[in-house]
Amino acid sequence: MDLFFEYIKKHGVLILFITLELLALTGLILTKNKPRGVILSTTNTIAGNIHNLFHTTRQYFGLYSENDQLVDENTQLRYEVMQLRSRVRKDQEHVSTYLFADEYYEFLPANVISRTVDQQRNYMTLNKGRRDGFKVDRGILCAKGVYGIIKNVSEHYSLVVPLIHVRSQLNVRVAHTSIYGVTKWDGVNYRYISVGDIPKSAHVNKGDTIVTSNFSHYFPDGTPVGVVVKKTVDNDDSFYTLKVLLFADYEQVVDVYGLEEEYRNERLFLESQKQ
Amino acid sequence: MIPVKYYIRLLFALVIQLLFFENAPLLSSWTHPYIYILPLLTLPVPVNRYAELLTGAGVGLIMDLCTNNFGANICACCTLCFLRPLFLQTVQDLERVKGEISGAVIGRREYLRVAFICIVIHHTILFGLEAFTLHHLWKTLTVIILSSAITCIIAALIDLMKRK
């Protein structure tokens, strides 16, 4: 208390000066319209900026949950699109639903948590595993198209072999045609793969889209893979090899979807009977 | 405490200010000298700082009430009274000075220097608070400069007359 009084005594003039100034300024602001308007406008602007800052910060920290919601919504929409496509084709071709049973897929969202793109045998790890419904030999899609195939799963993680793996192969075709081929990766550039064994008689042009074929066990027919950027003639002069720019940018993709085919086991069992 | 004669001077200066300078037809909107602060510049030393500050606030309050501009004059006068001893200290050792501050006591040049700084500060605060915007900054600055110049000339003339 003594210290307080000593402080007041020591700085009394300054305190009195500040008090008088504050009283005078308060009186000025309260009695004159112009200063009051300026002060109100300024405080409103400052308060608005502070609110905006808080709002932006809250929004930023809410992005994770928002992203999860969007992924769930996307999954649901993809599922519905796939069902609708199937129905449209059924209506167009007047055939039974059973023939398109292979298009009844379930989508399981996941995130890529580790990746390599600069090796001969690249692998990606997903943050979802057996517990979340992921199984070996299931296809993985990203927003733009084919991503890879699950090679192995643990309880919480999955290991994916992407198209940019020197041993990775996928049955594909040129969109809207019956020109079939198999993908290969030469281990050089992770943005490009090649599609070989295209008959020389086939009409394939630069810019044509490559999609998965109906021979694929992993993906629905017509799933986008990439776009043709170059066409070269093989050594034996009877086939083309297409250079394809992949839709999936493996360096960037984070959100992916695991595919679970409803009648997969039935199809595999039936196909195993012929051996 | 401050001797009564200084309060009489202040009242006289206020009357002159209110009767003449607040209604002078010769003065344009670009010049508005405030001579009522001149007696505040001459308050004696040593002086009770609280009394000095309250005197400044009182004079400002009277001006505010008479000109319907509450707050601006109090603010400007308090600042002047608070800073005046600091400026005086820079030009003269105040421990050697006793009594009224004038050109005769501290030197004409020193007195005018202190008076000039105090007047400019007072006028800047006063016109700044009256304008309360930066939109007409050049006009406000011009009014401050012209008004301060006239107030300084009047302060110099009064000081000259006192010496004679």
Side-chain angles (χ1 to χ4, degrees):
Chain A
M1 206 63 181
D2 289 344
L3 275 173
F4 175 72
F5 284 120
E6 201 171 308
Y7 184 84
I8 294 283
K9 199 174 171 183
K10 195 176 173 186
H11 299 97
V13 176
L14 182 65
I15 291 167
L16 178 65
F17 168 67
I18 291 169
T19 311
L20 288 169
E21 291 285 315
L22 287 176
L23 284 174
L25 287 173
T26 311
L28 183 80
I29 289 162
L30 289 177
T31 54
K32 298 280 269 186
N33 284 334
K34 197 173 177 181
R36 194 168 49 200
V38 171
I39 295 288
L40 277 176
S41 151
T42 311
T43 48
N44 271 351
T45 309
I46 293 168
N49 284 338
I50 290 170
H51 278 297
N52 201 17
L53 183 72
F54 276 116
H55 178 70
T56 314
T57 312
R58 264 204 306 269
Q59 214 174 18
Y60 177 76
F61 285 111
L63 280 178
Y64 282 114
S65 59
E66 206 167 312
N67 195 39
D68 287 343
Q69 278 178 6
L70 283 172
V71 168
D72 289 343
E73 200 179 315
N74 214 11
T75 310
Q76 179 64 26
L77 287 172
R78 276 174 174 277
Y79 178 70
E80 283 175 19
V81 166
M82 197 60 85
Q83 278 190 325
L84 287 170
R85 271 189 195 159
S86 176
R87 277 187 203 170
V88 167
R89 283 180 62 181
K90 185 184 77 179
D91 289 345
Q92 282 173 346
E93 298 178 22
H94 305 290
V95 289
S96 74
T97 311
Y98 184 74
L99 287 176
F100 297 94
D102 63 321
E103 291 188 7
Y104 287 106
Y105 286 90
E106 188 185 352
F107 290 85
L108 308 165
N111 284 348
V112 178
I113 54 171
S114 100
R115 61 164 75 90
T116 58
V117 295
D118 53 356
Q119 293 173 16
Q120 296 286 302
R121 296 177 182 190
N122 293 303
Y123 291 98
M124 318 300 179
T125 311
L126 308 185
N127 66 342
K128 297 285 171 67
R130 198 178 296 118
R131 199 182 61 166
D132 308 289
F134 280 67
K135 293 171 188 167
V136 174
D137 281 343
R138 274 17 176 217
I140 298 290
L141 290 177
C142 66
K144 290 183 176 174
V146 171
Y147 189 79
I149 294 156
I150 298 178
K151 180 183 165 63
N152 209 346
V153 289
S154 67
E155 200 60 24
H156 300 97
Y157 300 101
S158 302
L159 191 68
V160 175
V161 179
L163 293 178
I164 51 165
H165 185 291
V166 286
R167 288 195 177 172
S168 177
Q169 288 190 330
L170 187 68
N171 288 315
V172 293
R173 64 182 172 89
V174 180
H176 310 301
T177 68
S178 300
I179 306 166
Y180 293 91
V182 178
T183 64
K184 270 184 192 171
W185 188 54
D186 56 6
V188 178
N189 188 335
Y190 74 93
R191 294 295 288 128
Y192 297 95
I193 56 167
S194 59
V195 176
D197 302 337
I198 304 289
K200 216 178 167 188
S201 56
H203 294 286
V204 183
N205 297 313
K206 208 170 146 183
D208 283 350
T209 306
I210 301 296
V211 297
T212 53
S213 79
N214 47 356
F215 298 145
S216 170
H217 287 172
Y218 307 107
F219 299 98
D221 181 27
T223 307
V225 175
V227 63
V228 178
V229 291
K230 199 176 172 187
K231 187 168 73 172
T232 49
V233 182
D234 285 354
N235 293 333
D236 56 5
D237 207 30
S238 54
F239 290 99
Y240 281 132
T241 295
L242 306 176
K243 186 179 182 186
V244 175
L245 173 65
L246 289 168
F247 287 132
D249 183 349
Y250 288 98
E251 191 74 88
Q252 305 290 333
V253 171
V254 175
D255 293 312
V256 293
Y257 304 91
L259 283 172
E260 182 57 41
E261 191 186 348
E262 200 175 338
Y263 301 108
R264 179 188 165 84
N265 289 337
E266 186 181 323
R267 177 178 169 177
L268 290 176
F269 175 73
L270 190 66
E271 286 175 357
S272 69
Q273 297 300 301
K274 64 188 177 188
Q275 290 168 358
Chain B
M1 291 303 290
I2 300 168
V4 180
K5 69 172 183 180
Y6 293 100
Y7 289 112
I8 294 169
R9 279 185 198 171
L10 279 168
L11 277 176
F12 182 69
L14 277 170
V15 170
I16 299 287
Q17 177 74 40
L18 291 169
L19 289 181
F20 181 69
F21 287 99
E22 293 300 314
N23 300 295
L26 292 173
L27 298 171
S28 71
S29 63
W30 292 86
T31 52
H32 197 151
Y34 284 95
I35 58 113
Y36 75 94
I37 59 167
L38 298 182
L40 288 174
L41 297 175
T42 63
L43 289 178
V45 286
V47 67
N48 186 316
R49 295 295 311 277
Y50 295 101
E52 189 180 12
L53 268 178
L54 290 171
T55 304
V59 172
L61 180 65
I62 293 169
M63 269 302 289
D64 281 340
L65 292 175
C66 295
T67 56
N68 194 24
N69 189 21
F70 189 83
N73 281 289
I74 301 177
C75 204
C77 289
C78 283
T79 310
L80 185 150
C81 289
F82 182 74
L83 295 176
R84 190 189 72 120
L86 305 178
F87 294 135
L88 282 172
Q89 193 77 50
T90 59
V91 296
Q92 189 71 260
D93 184 6
L94 285 184
E95 286 184 4
R96 291 184 188 173
V97 181
K98 280 211 167 76
E100 183 181 327
I101 297 296
S102 67
V105 177
I106 62 168
R108 189 202 266 174
R109 190 174 290 176
E110 284 74 16
Y111 172 74
L112 284 178
R113 199 184 298 165
V114 173
F116 174 75
I117 295 168
C118 289
I119 288 167
V120 168
I121 287 172
H122 173 273
H123 283 38
T124 305
I125 293 171
L126 191 54
F127 289 117
L129 287 176
E130 274 181 359
F132 218 90
T133 176
L134 294 175
H135 286 308
H136 308 292
L137 187 64
W138 287 112
K139 188 185 177 187
T140 310
L141 283 175
T142 313
V143 173
I144 289 168
I145 292 164
L146 290 175
S147 305
S148 301
I150 294 177
T151 312
C152 280
I153 291 167
I154 295 169
L157 287 173
I158 290 171
D159 188 55
L160 209 63
M161 280 159 61
K162 269 191 204 167
R163 288 184 87 180
K164 283 183 178 176

